[in-house]
Amino acid sequence: MKNVETHYKTLGFGSFGMSALSAEIDVKDGKIIRTRGMHFDRAYSADYLKPWTLEVRGKKLEGLLKNDIPPFALVYKKRAYSDNRILYPMKRIDWDPEGERNPQNRGKSKFERISWDEATDIIAKELRRIEKEYGLFAVFCQGDGHGETKTVHATHGCQMRLMSILGGFTFQARNPDSWEGWYWGAKHVWGCDPVGEGDIGNLLLDIAENSKYLLHWGCDEETTPWGWCGQLPSRWAFWLTEVGVKQIYVCPDVNYGAAVHADKWIPVNPNTDVALHMAIAYTWIANGWFDEEYIDTHAVGFDWIKYYVMGGEDGVPKTPEWASPICGVPSRQIKALAKAWYKQATSISHVNGGSLIRSQFSAEPGRMEVVLMGMQGLGKPGRNVIKLIEWGLYGLPSQCPNPRSDLYMMPAAAYRSLDYNNPEVWDIRQSFIPKTMVPKAILGDYTVDNPLTWYGTGIAGWPKEDQFVKYQYPSKQAGTRIHMIWSDTPCWSTCWNGGYTLAKAVQSEEIEFVLIQHPWMENDCIYADILLPINTKFEERDIAVDSSNGYTNVMMIEPQCIEPRGESKSDYEAVGEVAKKMGVYDEFTGGKSEEEWIREGFENSGCQERVSWEEFKEKGYYAAPTSVGWENNPRGFAPFCEDPEANPLGTPSGKLEFYSTALAHHFPDDESRPPFPKFIASDDRLSESLLTERGEAYPYLIVSNHPRWRVHANMDDITWFREIETCKVKGPDGYLYEPVWINPVDAEGQGIATGDVVKIFNDRGWVLGGAYVTERIKPGVIYQDHGARLDPINVGEADRGGANNLIAPSEVAMKNTNAEVTSGYLVDFEKVDVFELAERYPEAFGRDFNAAGVKIDNWLV
Ligand SMILES: Nc1nc2c(c(=O)[nH]1)N[C@H]1C(S)=C(S)[C@@H](COP(=O)(O)OP(=O)(O)OC[C@H]3O[C@@H](n4cnc5c(=O)[nH]c(N)nc54)[C@H](O)[C@@H]3O)O[C@H]1N2
Ligand SMILES: Nc1nc2c(c(=O)[nH]1)N[C@H]1C(S)=C(S)[C@@H](COP(=O)(O)OP(=O)(O)OC[C@H]3O[C@@H](n4cnc5c(=O)[nH]c(N)nc54)[C@H](O)[C@@H]3O)O[C@H]1N2
Ligand SMILES: [Mo]
């Protein structure tokens, strides 16, 4: 094509400066016209790259020379051109830093355009005032989400880099959301710091060669690998079928992976997996179907499990007949599954795990799964647990489900966000609040002497000893509560727990200033006092790495594709403008220009060992060949299995701790996370089980999966997706509602048909959704993805967009943790008449929308 320039970019939404998927962007006349997967062989030959081949029973799976990027990458240019972009700095009209601040109107009032100069003047003045009145620890920084993956122009956390230079702030510690059950549970059984997921080396091959069954347990490899690692898991699953591995799906919904690959679907009720686990253990113990020799040499504490499962503790043997009414799986199916799993090599596959690891008491299923694997000889051929996402996000050389490249690259030095895991950069323990406790901290009357307390920073990536350290808000070092929020991650309402309590917290008098920087007018942006416009990665030059695609590791220069829209800047540049007003610009940039940081990133990445800077710049990228002999790398837990003395686990005893000595020592009386796994329906804080009284009031469990057509809160405005019937359901008023899957049995009672609008509710509030009546969800369960864009009907009470996190519990999953409960909780639903609602809430229903959703104009004067 004439006059078309092709640029390399990584498109993926892991953020944190880590890996994203390499793509080629075609630009014509200053406009992006096309996106394709990167051809790795543009500058390096196939002979050099040596794509890998997996071959089992005569069937081959081959590495590609062109990246098979997911739909999110293909459509991402629409985000750059979104009508919903924030193009100028803005101020809430009724927030006057010199007079009335009207915090009660956050989420309700409109915004007016101001200049960058005016905005940064106000911000600098506020920072100085707050420093004088309370000290800088009163500034609370929220900067930890996923989103665009950028390095020099880091997506999240630039404001913390500035605040650390100024000398203080309170850090929002993001709980290990992706891994709760593994982090707080499994880690105490098999070690596996930092996140508690198992060792997955070379398992693509091990499972294909040795497993008879693969249990996709809370796993949809046709949806969630899209978030980080493209289409390889899908190709692998097709190949497994050819090779003869039977794929069994354990989940409440026929998810997209199940629809395509399942040999069998075991429909389980949300977050009741631990009952199913217990019944499997019961069947094994009752029949002697487990590996006693392995347990003797590789595990401690099996007697506790046996005692509990056989009913020794509470007089209730955990039989399949006991489990069946709880988990919804017929007892004969439980027995058949237990028998098959014992008789034949069986592995488990997760992307990260679904509700069972993000619901109440998630430590129980998290560690019971490891107990089951241990009972059948974890690490024996074909008996492992694969995490399909792991090479996606990190491409960690030690953890890759090989094959893999022979070089691991990371332009870490150029990453401009705060390095919060490095106490030499900034010790976050001086003052922090776990993300799951922020509303509680703001709404409670805690003081230094009467503080809110908890255990652990809870940040994914910290070693397990961290779980036993006690912290408090306000901290002694800070000596103050928080009075300002500075966020570059304005999707609390859509992605975190108990969103309606956050709405109340941000309207508190005590929060004097809410500053938000974001590319699009959505979600928590409506709570801002000042909004700063941020650009997309197409509008910046950067350096990037792709170790997510599974074919070859690529490091690249990312040229600028288009001009920044409006007056938008990158997060790094925006914070830089504030740094100028605070007189610390040189410290903030380290005295280096963008170009110099890109160069610095290259020099420290590992890539410089292979090519010169000049060659790298000229070719635009470096791609590493497949490593030689990867087939022989260790497979999952095989080294531990073969020699547990020489290859101990990271537990205190070095063995599988079915009974955790550390939990017993630190929290002997914690009934929400006892030393060994149990079945827990409720405690004095949480009762999100159908077995409780609340279950009678709200008789459905909701599954709130990671969205098929979004990455969390990202991309809810992509018109190409919104035309798809499982992406949005058109209501009678023409509004595109977030789908709610309802089984025909449950829909019938209320006369609900596809296209009707329903209200999902519990004692915490309600959200709307568009009914999608289907047998793909089991009866008694409804399913609505998380992350739909906020569109408040009544702030703190009702939402039209369908952001169901608003009605998720505020309590943490286990007492001495900061784990979230965002799925598998109790709700009810009923059909509503949207025209009647429109009369009752004229303002909300009067908001103008188009094919991309609610328009930005509704929020501007
Ligand atoms: N119901 C339910 N809730 C869940 C889960 C669930 O399974 N169910 N899962 C949990 C999990 S595992 C996760 S990871 C979280 C996800 O939660 P987050 O990681 O917080 O969510 P994201 O929407 O990916 O990204 C955060 C924000 O960054 C913005 N963003 C993207 N690019 C940029 C940029 O360049 N600059 C700035 N300033 N902002 C940018 C996005 O628009 C979005 O507002 O959700 C958790 N919550
Ligand atoms: N498309 C897309 N991809 C993504 C993301 C995204 O937002 N969108 N987010 C990324 C991130 S940050 C993460 S952490 C991962 C998350 O990856 P996962 O944790 O694997 O994703 P989920 O969608 O929460 O759950 C996966 C499947 O578990 C099943 N499931 C749900 N609840 C239960 C339950 O209680 N028991 C059982 N047995 N099964 C259940 C459902 O079938 C669901 O499809 O995905 C990543 N990839
Ligand atoms: Mo996640």
Side-chain angles (χ1 to χ4, degrees), residues 182 190 197-198 200 350-352 385-391 401:
W182 316 125
W190 63 8
E197 292 189 318
I200 56 176
H350 300 294
V351 171
N352 263 328
V385 183
I386 190 169
K387 298 287 157 63
L388 290 169
I389 200 106
E390 218 54 61
W391 87 82

Side-chain angles (χ1 to χ4, degrees), residues 237-356:
F238 276 110
W239 178 66
L240 286 184
T241 299
E242 283 181 41
V243 165
V245 179
K246 296 287 173 219
Q247 302 183 58
I248 300 171
Y249 278 72
V250 187
C251 41
D253 52 333
V254 179
N255 63 32
Y256 296 83
V260 179
H261 306 289
D263 291 293
K264 183 160 188 64
W265 174 40
I266 298 187
V268 65
N269 287 331
N271 197 31
T272 58
D273 298 77
V274 72
L276 177 54
H277 290 148
M278 294 287 174
I280 291 170
Y282 176 91
T283 310
W284 288 348
I285 295 169
N287 293 288
W289 290 346
F290 60 97
D291 195 333
E292 209 154 359
E293 205 182 307
Y294 180 96
I295 291 176
D296 283 348
T297 47
H298 291 71
V300 296
F302 177 61
D303 287 348
W304 289 93
I305 303 287
K306 198 167 158 183
Y307 176 71
Y308 180 77
V309 164
M310 302 315 279
E313 185 174 294
D314 52 7
V316 183
K318 307 300 176 288
T319 61
E321 289 71 23
W322 164 83
S324 183
I326 302 172
C327 66
V329 181
S331 55
R332 67 186 150 74
Q333 259 192 33
I334 303 178
K335 289 175 199 165
L337 174 63
K339 189 168 180 182
W341 185 343
Y342 158 67
K343 293 235 157 174
Q344 306 279 357
T346 300
S347 283
I348 295 181
S349 131
H350 300 294
V351 171
N352 263 328
S355 310
L356 66 145

